[in-house]
Amino acid sequence: MFQKVLATFGSGGAKIDARLLDRAAAPGRPLHGEVLLAGGEVDQEIKGLAVTLLARVQVPGTDKTEDLPFGSQHLVGREVIRAGQQVRLPFELPLPWETPVTSVYGKPLTGMAVGVRAELDLATAVSDPFDADAVAIEPLPAQKRVLDALSRIGFVFREAILEQGRINGAQQQLPFFQEVRFTPSPRFASVFSQLAVTFLASSERTDVVLEVTKRVRVSKTGGFGGRGQDFLGMFTMKPDVNWEKQLEDWLDQVARPRGIFD
């Protein structure tokens, strides 16, 4: 009886270990893994076992972050796990097309926290065991074209963030969006303080949202102040477009002086 009591507090109870089988994944494609379920010292009733995609997002207007689910799969319903029993449960978790990119050419993006959490719901436990693993999400080929184009122009990656909310005028499915932020190239450094890229993909198309923070001129001599003014551009990617030229043309247009006070 004492062992059963301990099991309700997690001591000697069932445990899980989530493992990802894919070294890297991509938006719109399945993520493969498995959960190892190990029975404890006593038989226990399971109410359910599921794997969930989680993303750590910035809450607008605050310094707080929140872990938001954006996909899940139930692996086990109500069952009994016997003492000492070992069960291997494979899963194939579809990744939404808007899944944030967390790695480019195998290099993690600073600021990204996206992972898979496996959680075991036990009927009598005070706290349920869980296991979480970070996921390496590589950009789609179309997205790599834009990132490569910005790199060739001279923009340098700075950080990436996930922000809760929606972009006005965009076809967006998830309740948050990713900004991949760059330090301007020397050519635009005197005019821009930052460039941010957001990808909104679907099975039919990939939209690219560019947000440039432009330094604002505050004197007739052309000096720049500390305030910033944001300019938004939105493009639907097409396979026959020279993206390096299109990006440069748009950046040149935004960089042009528009008056004394911009």
Side-chain angles (χ1 to χ4, degrees):
M1 177 62 74
F2 185 61
Q3 286 181 321
K4 291 184 178 180
V5 173
L6 287 178
T8 65
F9 288 92
S11 177
K15 299 183 183 299
I16 55 173
D17 179 20
R19 301 177 182 178
L20 299 179
L21 302 181
D22 296 326
R23 295 184 61 183
R29 299 170 186 171
L31 177 67
H32 300 90
E34 62 183 13
V35 177
L36 303 180
L37 173 60
E41 298 178 8
V42 297
D43 296 350
Q44 286 182 281
E45 183 182 358
I46 295 173
K47 293 171 66 177
L49 171 60
V51 288
T52 302
L53 288 166
L54 292 175
R56 184 157 297 167
V57 306
Q58 186 78 33
V59 179
T62 74
D63 294 328
K64 297 179 180 179
T65 60
E66 182 179 348
D67 290 341
L68 290 184
F70 64 102
S72 65
Q73 185 180 96
H74 290 278
L75 302 181
V76 174
R78 189 173 290 273
E79 299 280 352
V80 173
I81 180 73
R82 302 297 178 185
Q85 185 179 5
Q86 302 282 327
V87 181
R88 188 184 303 269
L89 300 165
F91 65 83
E92 185 178 284
L93 189 58
L95 294 177
W97 286 98
E98 290 181 13
T99 298
V101 174
T102 66
S103 173
V104 179
Y105 295 111
K107 184 177 180 179
L109 292 186
T110 303
M112 286 297 93
V114 176
V116 171
R117 172 170 166 149
E119 188 162 7
L120 181 63
D121 187 1
L122 295 169
T124 58
V126 174
S127 61
D128 295 321
F130 68 89
D131 188 34
D133 284 332
V135 183
I137 309 294
E138 287 280 332
L140 295 167
Q143 297 168 339
K144 282 183 180 178
R145 287 183 61 198
V146 173
L147 297 177
D148 287 345
L150 287 171
S151 179
R152 288 194 297 270
I153 294 171
F155 285 77
V156 178
F157 169 75
R158 192 175 74 195
E159 64 176 349
I161 70 161
L162 299 179
E163 186 170 325
Q164 191 173 10
R166 294 186 173 276
I167 299 174
N168 290 336
Q171 296 184 15
Q172 183 181 338
Q173 302 300 317
L174 296 180
F176 58 85
F177 59 91
Q178 180 181 37
E179 283 190 354
V180 184
R181 295 176 174 176
F182 293 85
T183 299
S185 66
R187 174 179 167 187
F188 295 103
S190 64
V191 186
F192 302 149
S193 60
Q194 176 179 275
L195 169 68
V197 179
T198 296
F199 295 113
L200 297 175
S202 69
S203 58
E204 294 84 22
R205 56 192 273 174
T206 297
D207 290 337
V208 182
V209 181
L210 299 175
E211 184 178 15
V212 171
T213 302
K214 186 177 180 182
R215 306 181 194 276
V216 178
R217 290 190 299 142
V218 296
S219 70
K220 293 183 179 180
T221 60
F224 285 86
R227 294 179 294 128
Q229 188 175 17
D230 292 338
F231 290 83
L232 209 64
M234 191 177 304
F235 309 92
T236 298
M237 291 203 67
K238 298 177 181 178
D240 56 344
V241 170
N242 181 337
W243 279 99
E244 186 167 333
K245 183 179 186 306
Q246 178 146 345
L247 286 171
E248 283 190 284
D249 289 346
W250 185 79
L251 292 169
D252 283 335
Q253 182 180 358
V254 174
R256 291 192 194 116
R258 299 174 182 238
I260 295 177
F261 296 101
D262 251 349

